[in-house]
Amino acid sequence: MVGEAIRNRETIFKTDLSEEKGAFIQIGEKIGYTPKSVITAPIFCQTTGNAIGALQLLNSAKSIAWTDNDRALLEQICHSVSQTVEILNQ
């Protein structure tokens, strides 16, 4: 989902991961964490506009129906951390 969010330059959210496959499932199995829902947003360079990373939130307590407010908040957080991510990518 991280790659998909970066490729498509958009925030993705899924509320039921029971049928999904991905690294988060394999990692969750190893550490005893079973994600039920996820929201992923790309992080963009403020200078070039290129995607330079993504921020992904996983919820294991229960499936969450992510809202447009959740999306907007995550996108704001991504914007806030973008300069730090850019420095870390150098």
Side-chain angles (χ1 to χ4, degrees), residues 2 9 26 35 44 52-53 60 64 66 70 76 86 88:
V2 169
R9 301 179 60 85
Q26 296 166 351
F44 299 104
I52 56 173
S60 75
I64 292 179
W66 303 101
D70 296 327
Q76 288 172 1
E86 189 173 353
L88 294 172

Side-chain angles (χ1 to χ4, degrees), residues 23-79:
F24 61 91
I25 297 293
Q26 296 166 351
I27 293 168
E29 288 173 354
K30 289 181 181 179
I31 63 172
Y33 183 90
T34 306
K36 306 228 188 272
S37 57
V38 63
I39 184 169
T40 308
I43 300 171
F44 299 104
C45 173
Q46 292 183 20
T47 306
T48 66
N50 294 331
I52 56 173
L55 185 58
Q56 183 174 71
L57 303 176
L58 300 166
N59 181 27
S60 75
K62 60 181 178 178
S63 293
I64 292 179
W66 303 101
T67 67
D68 287 334
N69 287 338
D70 296 327
R71 178 196 328 231
L73 181 58
L74 185 58
E75 290 171 353
Q76 288 172 1
I77 293 168
C78 286
H79 180 74

Side-chain angles (χ1 to χ4, degrees), residues 7 14 17 22 28 31 38 44 53-54 56-57 59 76 83 85 87 89-90:
R7 264 191 316 279
K14 297 186 180 186
L17 297 177
I31 63 172
V38 63
F44 299 104
Q56 183 174 71
L57 303 176
N59 181 27
Q76 288 172 1
Q83 289 181 326
V85 172
I87 290 168
N89 281 335
Q90 295 179 354

